[in-house]
Amino acid sequence: MAVIEEISEFLQKGRAKNVKVLVQQAIDENYDPKIILNEGLLSGMMIIGDKFKRNEVFVPEVLVAARAMNSGLEILEPKLIEVGNQPVGKAVIGTVKGDLHDIGKNLVAMMLKGAGLEVYDIGVDAPAEAFIEKAEEVGADIICMSALLTTTMPSMQDALAVMREKGVRDKYIVMVGGAPVNQIFSDQIGADYYTPDAATAAETAKKAIILKK
Ligand code: B1M
């Protein structure tokens, strides 16, 4: 079996150590990092996601698969990011309150780093105040919020409301994303940008910061 298929297979079984070794092997065999990501890691995660939807696997299996995904991403990170010389700006990123999904957020963080941004990751289940406090502390240019659940999308709206209350809304560019989020929702809550994937998020953040400066 080719190494890329093996990555997908072992990820589905939640075998983090094997995934790490295989991702390293694929790198050593000069596979394109995007192929390793999309056809190995993400394809395995999507299969698990579909099985989860059909009740063929349950939360514990999805959780170990997600851990294996994050282990693979750690190994792949230096290959995915090629940081330029000039720092472009500072980004605060997190998954919003009530939401524990972090794979997409981690990918966006990686791509932002790759686009030359200094990234402050406040983790998952992050309340509105945490985004604002970190942004104020580090002098961020952009706040990036991720949500994977329809039930946590309103936390993005809450965060924007708190920013307005504190009078800091216009200090920051606000970008939202995650599988259930779309342009209509982003417009409704008054975010500056919605982006559908990590690569677009990084490209858009970079352009938006340059435009604002
Ligand atoms: Co959850 N889960 N989960 N889960 N989980 C989903 C999201 C779900 C769609 C599964 C399903 O039913 N088909 C469903 C949500 C339904 C809905 O609300 N519409 C769901 C559910 C229901 C739940 C629980 C409620 C299940 C339960 O307990 N009964 C529970 C909620 C826990 C909580 O958060 N409070 C739960 C728990 C979990 C685990 C903990 C087991 C695990 C997460 C582990 C982890 O992240 N460390 C998990 C996982 C792994 C998934 C699936 C299978 C995979 C998500 C993922 O990582 N995808 C997911 C099903 C699926 O998506 N097929 C599912 C890969 C990732 C790269 O994609 O995050 O979309 P994504 O990121 C993309 C883009 O969206 C974008 O860039 C990335 C790619 O380039 N993006 C941004 C993301 N953030 C962005 C921010 C940006 C811009 C772009 O700008 C700021």
Side-chain angles (χ1 to χ4, degrees), residues 46-99:
M46 287 307 120
I47 294 171
I48 279 289
D50 288 343
K51 288 186 175 170
F52 185 45
K53 207 172 171 180
R54 295 196 300 266
N55 290 324
E56 290 170 16
V57 297
F58 300 95
V59 169
E61 288 97 325
V62 182
L63 197 51
V64 287
R67 285 197 190 130
M69 169 92 197
N70 276 330
S71 311
L73 277 181
E74 265 174 42
I75 305 290
L76 200 56
E77 179 167 5
K79 292 283 161 193
L80 283 176
I81 62 176
E82 278 167 9
V83 186
N85 293 332
Q86 291 296 317
V88 172
K90 294 178 185 177
V92 170
I93 187 166
T95 305
V96 295
K97 191 171 167 55
D99 201 321

Side-chain angles (χ1 to χ4, degrees), residues 149-189:
L149 299 170
T150 43
T151 50
T152 58
M153 286 163 66
S155 301
M156 294 176 159
Q157 188 164 14
D158 296 344
L160 279 153
V162 177
M163 278 180 219
R164 287 187 201 100
E165 271 166 33
K166 290 185 184 289
V168 297
R169 169 64 187 93
D170 294 337
K171 271 174 88 174
Y172 305 110
I173 301 160
V174 176
M175 186 190 289
V176 293
V181 181
N182 58 31
Q183 187 64 56
I184 296 169
F185 177 75
S186 169
D187 292 344
Q188 272 168 5
I189 66 171

Side-chain angles (χ1 to χ4, degrees), residues 45 62 98 100-104 145-146 148-150 175 177-179 195 198:
M45 200 67 234
V62 182
L100 303 175
H101 296 85
D102 70 354
I103 296 172
M145 294 189 276
S146 176
L148 260 287
L149 299 170
T150 43
M175 186 190 289
T195 50

